[in-house]
Amino acid sequence: MSLETAVERITLDLDRPFTIARGTETTAENVIVRVVDEGGMAGIGAASPAERYGETAATVEAVLPELLSIVEDVGDPHALSAIERRMRDAVRDNPAARAAVSIALHDLVAKRLGVPLHRLWGLDPAATPRTSYTVGLDDPDEMADRARNAVESGYPILKVKLGTDRDRERLEAVRSAAPEATIRVDANEAWTPKEAVRKSQWLADLGVEFLEQPVPAENPEGLRFVYERSALPIAADESCVTVADVPRIADRCDIANLKLMKAGGLREARRMIATAHAHGLEVMIGCMIESNASIAAAAQLAPRCTYADLDGSLLVSGDPFEGIDLTEGRVHLETQDRPGTGVRE
Ligand code: MG
């Protein structure tokens, strides 16, 4: 058996500048990985590197030759355990680069077996939660417009980015524009613990469902302080990067937000889900600004998660890939009968 591999960088244009507490982005660089078997069948994956976790498209491209040489050396796409272990030994960091290879291999394996990936895992498509739609930081009126448009377009769950001095004004504007919406708030590490506890009170009064990453990941005691006093359930994102983080956050949050680009691949993500459940945590499957080439893979795990935040590909234009139908926020796995992750060029 032999495998060929290829790498291609793509630039995704965001429909509008995307601002969170850390900064603003107008494009997202993704790196596409293809793994092709001797019959010409291709598995497709993608990396969406995040500088928050020390990666850029350049670092992904720098390590992919080493990772793909492991794939070619093993030569058998079904040897997922051996390949992913060797990749982790070779480059311990660089999770988005490893995720791209993991996704391409899983896509290829399921295609070779002729089944959608979630079917290979025995998951129930009907158990898939609806995805949220993200409203980035902007002027209150602009955020209200976006919230209204999202709800009118059929997205009933909003994830609202906060983390500035005008948080309350912004969220009140969003709530007025979307009185019936389920609203989740993500502060992206921007608050102090006391500030987060205080703000959780009026967030609860405005009917917010839960609060994500209120304080910096570097302050685990602060996260515990908020968790013990917050008026809302707490989700951990930046505090929950790899499977080793799950036991560390288990007594200081309610929900683990996992992403393929943090975990380093689908096998690691599945370990994280199992570990989180074993520690009594609920799981949200999240994403970066990503092509459908990787969102489609994350969607395959959604039936095992309570919450989904998979709108990364909805925020960009010019994605060369199609993936899972996310119309009205529904992760339509039940209509994905294409083998693999469901990605299509
Ligand atoms: Mg987040």
Side-chain angles (χ1 to χ4, degrees), residues 159 161 186 188 212 237:
K159 175 147 145 182
K161 296 290 192 178
D186 187 355
N188 286 108
E212 181 172 326
D237 180 0

Side-chain angles (χ1 to χ4, degrees), residues 156-179:
I157 307 172
L158 304 177
K159 175 147 145 182
V160 179
K161 296 290 192 178
L162 293 182
T164 72
D165 52 353
R166 294 165 72 197
D167 284 330
R168 186 164 187 164
E169 189 185 342
R170 289 175 218 269
L171 196 68
E172 284 175 346
V174 168
R175 178 46 93 197
S176 315

Side-chain angles (χ1 to χ4, degrees), residues 93-131:
D93 297 323
N94 305 285
R98 285 186 282 119
V101 180
S102 169
I103 293 166
L105 287 168
H106 280 81
D107 185 41
L108 177 57
V109 163
K111 279 174 174 162
R112 286 165 61 94
L113 297 173
V115 290
L117 191 53
H118 64 272
R119 294 276 296 158
L120 185 62
W121 291 333
L123 302 181
D124 176 9
T128 305
R130 219 160 168 170
T131 179

